[in-house]
């Protein structure tokens, strides 16, 4: 693979991982800025093609992480991200009526967490990275990542249970309960 | 809820917006850049933005309902240069030079004005996507700046531009600059070149020197608040650059006739070219375009660039 023409190597890399880099960019900077982040990330990858490891995704996301931090003024990125987090709750898919409230509550709870907590959780749950790969993205050890993930998960659960406590009067329904009437 | 359930539930809640709504842009756009083993830090925004599908200046972008205008076509539309044909380069060494010198002369005689706001209306985009926006950029301290974006039905929406002040509203030579700095640019072409090159050193040389100068010169004549004499100096600077060639008569993406001058670079994939289109009769710069391997990639066409002492308009007042 290392001997393939640079163009072919890069094109393969780009098409294989564009979606993942885009998803990460949206979760860190909002959809408005995501295209810029993706473009700059792959430009770095092109310029440093020989540095890209055999399993490129953690490296690409690490670059995207740096790009997001360095490319935008923080207030611009925060504004875009805040809009994105709000949109997630509003746009929660109403296909499956039962779980839409739960999913919306999950996203709302997520929005209330710190950016670092959100990052460890979404790298795991939405990007599907192993702890080892996620640790590489963040530049920490795998052991540290496990600890951070554990803590972030607890905080998310806390936020969810706080929301449920407030909302206790909402009746829980399930299809079985409906038909069992 | 068990820990495993939490992560599974979180995975279920993954928003759709994480999936791109459009196909990725052609990677050829990226491969047209030269490969370098240089620093990875994207410390400063390059003067020429990398524009991919859907990637447009953050302040001007609306997430939905943004676009835009159709391609110029239909009855009564001005004759447009077919996008796929590349004009035959006019290989006369002084061709580009004399065109630009004419533009310089025309510019120079314009009256000097200034104002509270520098108002720029542009249409820009790549591929099928186009956006039209009007930016009201504060040129005097203490004023807010606002962007207005046009939607498909022709109506405008305003977007506040937070953090944009007279001190940083104007991107030139790799950095945001103040209205004051631009007003102080030299009116002598050699001194202007010298000034730009001091800024080039700051960029860390990510871009090639000639491209940097061309892009800086283009920015000055296209849409930056400078005096007509500085604009003329920029034209003269461009006229003296050996790498600048004339492409002869073209129409910009809005169908406006002009002449194009360009710098080219051989990327690994194909020739990457930056064009500046100028109306030689008025000396007005019309547009900047990026072409890759003979095909149009992205463009910025300036519709108006002017001073205003008015207050910020309501979006509904824009026409």
């Amino acid at each position: 693979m290392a001997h393939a023409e640079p163009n072919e190597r890069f094109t393969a890399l780009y098409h294989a991982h564009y979606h993942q880099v885009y998803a990460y960019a949206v979760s860190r900077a909002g959809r408005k800025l995501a295209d810029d982040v993706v473009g700059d990330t792959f430009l770095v990858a092109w310029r440093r093609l020989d540095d890209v490891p055999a399993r490129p995704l953690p490296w690409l996301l690490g670059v995207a992480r740096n790009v997001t931090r360095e490319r935008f003024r923080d207030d611009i990125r925060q504004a875009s991200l805040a809009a994105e987090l709000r949109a997630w709750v509003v746009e929660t898919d109403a296909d499956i009526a039962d779980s839409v409230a739960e999913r919306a509550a999950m996203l709302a709870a997520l929005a209330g967490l710190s950016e670092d907590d959100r990052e460890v959780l979404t790298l795991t749950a939405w990007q599907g990275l192993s702890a080892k790969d996620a640790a590489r993205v963040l530049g920490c050890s795998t052991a540290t990542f496990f600890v951070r993930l554990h803590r972030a998960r607890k905080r998310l659960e806390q936020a969810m249970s706080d929301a449920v406590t407030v909302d206790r009067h909402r009746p829980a329904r399930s299809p079985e309960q409906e038909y069992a009437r | 809820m068990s820990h495993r359930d939490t992560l599974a539930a979180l995975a279920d809640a993954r928003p759709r917006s994480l999936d791109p709504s459009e196909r990725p842009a052609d990677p050829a756009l990226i491969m047209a850049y030269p490969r370098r083993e240089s620093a990875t830090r994207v410390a400063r925004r390059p003067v020429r933005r990398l524009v991919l599908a859907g990637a447009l200046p953050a302040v001007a972008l609306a997430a939905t309902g943004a676009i835009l205008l159709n391609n110029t076509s239909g009855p009564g539309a001005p004759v447009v240069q077919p996008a796929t044909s590349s004009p035959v380069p006019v290989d006369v060494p002084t061709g580009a030079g004399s065109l630009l010198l004419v533009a310089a002369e025309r510019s120079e005689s314009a009256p000097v004005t200034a104002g509270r706001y520098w108002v720029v209306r542009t249409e820009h985009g790549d591929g099928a996507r186009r956006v039209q926006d009007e930016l009201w950029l504060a040129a005097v301290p203490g004023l807010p700046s606002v962007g207005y974006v046009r939607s498909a039905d022709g109506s405008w929406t305003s977007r506040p531009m937070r953090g944009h002040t007279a001190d940083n509203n104007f991107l030139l030579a790799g950095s945001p600059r103040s209205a004051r700095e631009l007003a102080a640019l030299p009116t002598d072409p050699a001194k202007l070149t010298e000034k730009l090159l001091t800024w080039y050193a700051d960029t860390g040389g990510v871009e090639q020197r000639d491209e940097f100068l061309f892009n800086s010169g283009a920015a000055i004549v296209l849409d930056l608040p400078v005096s007509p004499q500085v604009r003329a100096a920029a034209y003269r600077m461009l006229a003296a650059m050996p790498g600048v060639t004339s492409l002869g008569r073209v129409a910009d993406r809005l169908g406006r006739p002009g002449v194009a001058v360009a710098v080219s670079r051989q990327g690994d994939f194909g020739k990457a070219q930056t064009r500046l289109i100028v109306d030689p009769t008025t000396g007005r710069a019309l547009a900047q375009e990026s072409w890759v391997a003979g095909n149009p990639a992205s463009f910025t066409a300036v519709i108006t660039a002017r001073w205003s002492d008015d207050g910020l308009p309501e979006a509904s007042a824009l026409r």
Side-chain angles (χ1 to χ4, degrees):
Chain A
M1 188 62 154
H3 298 297
E5 288 294 323
N7 293 0
E8 284 164 24
R9 254 196 301 149
F10 179 78
T11 303
L13 180 79
Y14 181 84
H15 287 299
H17 298 292
Y18 177 91
H19 286 81
Q20 291 151 315
V21 177
Y22 183 87
Y24 180 76
V26 171
S27 67
R28 298 280 299 180
R31 71 193 74 168
K32 281 184 205 164
L33 307 180
D35 284 315
D36 280 358
V37 172
V38 175
D40 279 358
T41 300
F42 280 105
L43 183 57
V44 171
W46 171 243
R47 286 187 168 145
R48 296 180 56 200
L49 196 55
D50 294 329
D51 291 347
V52 179
R55 272 166 59 252
L57 185 59
W59 185 90
L60 283 171
L61 295 186
V63 170
R65 196 166 193 268
N66 293 335
V67 164
T68 311
R69 227 186 10 238
E70 295 167 16
R71 196 186 185 315
F72 299 104
R73 273 203 284 269
D74 203 56
D75 58 342
I76 291 181
R77 185 180 69 87
Q78 294 293 353
S80 173
L81 188 56
E84 185 66 37
L85 295 174
R86 280 194 296 274
W88 287 354
V89 178
V90 166
E91 292 169 357
T92 303
D93 211 339
D95 282 353
I96 311 160
D98 272 355
S99 60
V100 68
E102 242 178 70
R103 277 181 283 138
M106 172 72 76
L107 292 171
L110 191 69
L113 298 182
S114 72
E115 200 161 357
D116 286 346
D117 279 353
R118 245 192 333 266
E119 191 177 19
V120 302
L121 288 166
T122 58
L123 280 175
T124 308
W126 291 352
Q127 298 284 354
L129 292 188
S130 67
K132 186 163 160 242
D133 283 346
R136 202 169 300 149
V137 175
L138 300 183
C140 66
S141 70
T142 310
T144 304
F145 182 81
F146 272 121
V147 171
R148 291 178 57 181
L149 179 62
H150 178 78
R151 289 183 184 157
R153 208 160 29 193
K154 287 188 78 172
R155 286 192 271 261
L156 179 65
E157 287 161 4
Q158 183 65 51
M160 289 287 289
S161 80
D162 287 349
V164 166
T165 311
V166 167
D167 211 13
R168 191 176 285 166
H169 63 277
R170 181 175 61 82
R173 309 177 82 117
S174 68
E176 300 88 84
Q177 283 176 341
E178 292 272 64
Y179 291 123
R181 221 192 318 226
Chain B
M1 204 189 273
S2 80
H3 286 329
R4 207 177 297 267
D5 288 348
T6 307
L7 285 184
L10 182 57
D12 272 347
R14 186 181 185 280
R16 290 262 179 88
S17 68
L18 264 57
D19 300 322
S21 53
E22 296 170 352
R23 283 176 39 240
D26 191 338
L29 289 170
I30 297 176
M31 293 192 284
Y33 281 75
R35 289 176 59 203
R36 288 164 179 273
E37 298 108 21
S38 61
T40 60
R41 282 200 70 226
V42 185
R44 287 180 195 272
R45 298 161 65 185
V47 173
R48 188 177 68 242
R49 298 176 57 92
L50 177 67
V51 178
L52 301 184
L56 295 161
V59 294
L61 186 67
T64 52
I67 124 60
L68 330 266
L69 307 178
N70 298 319
N71 271 317
T72 51
S73 61
V79 173
V80 177
Q81 183 104 344
T84 50
S85 82
S86 210
V88 176
V90 174
D91 211 336
V92 178
T94 54
S98 49
L99 286 166
L100 293 168
L101 290 176
V102 167
E105 276 167 39
R106 299 259 187 275
S107 286
E108 197 159 46
S109 56
V112 181
T113 47
R116 293 163 73 231
Y117 280 103
W118 178 245
V119 181
V120 187
R121 182 180 290 204
T122 56
E123 183 170 324
H124 43 132
D126 61 270
R129 282 191 59 125
R130 297 188 173 204
V131 175
Q132 205 179 86
D133 61 54
E134 182 164 300
L135 302 185
W136 282 64
L137 301 169
V140 154
L143 293 179
S145 302
V146 175
Y148 302 85
V149 186
R150 201 166 201 180
S151 5
D153 65 3
S155 65
W156 295 84
T157 323
S158 71
R159 298 243 177 293
M161 293 167 65
R162 268 189 265 283
H164 279 253
T165 66
D167 276 339
N168 64 22
N169 256 331
F170 309 103
L171 185 63
L172 173 62
S175 239
R177 316 231 174 242
S178 70
R180 236 174 321 120
E181 270 183 285
L182 296 193
L185 285 173
T187 55
D188 170 81
K191 296 208 166 76
L192 177 63
T193 308
E194 220 182 280
K195 180 70 189 168
L196 292 171
L197 288 177
T198 65
W199 286 336
Y200 177 64
D202 291 342
T203 66
V206 170
E207 223 177 355
Q208 300 216 16
R209 186 182 165 280
D210 279 354
E211 265 185 271
F212 167 87
L213 286 176
F214 185 87
N215 286 325
S216 300
I220 289 174
V221 303
L222 263 172
D223 62 5
L224 286 178
V226 300
S227 71
Q229 291 71 36
V230 170
R231 215 166 273 133
Y235 276 128
R236 292 192 168 105
M237 175 186 82
L238 292 171
M241 288 175 58
V244 177
T245 55
S246 167
L247 303 179
R249 301 206 156 274
V250 301
D252 75 355
R253 300 301 286 277
L254 305 187
R256 299 176 298 180
V259 286
V261 295
V263 284
S264 296
R265 182 188 59 245
Q266 191 62 32
D268 282 327
F269 183 76
K271 190 170 76 160
Q273 189 181 71
T274 306
R275 300 183 180 183
L276 175 65
I277 301 177
V278 174
D279 179 347
T281 52
T282 58
R284 245 186 82 218
L286 299 176
Q288 182 169 345
E289 299 181 355
S290 254
W291 288 64
V292 174
N295 293 311
S298 66
F299 74 94
T300 301
V302 175
I303 299 169
T304 51
R306 61 184 175 91
W307 291 105
S308 174
D309 279 334
D310 294 342
L312 293 170
E314 292 290 329
S316 53
L318 261 60
R319 293 283 167 266

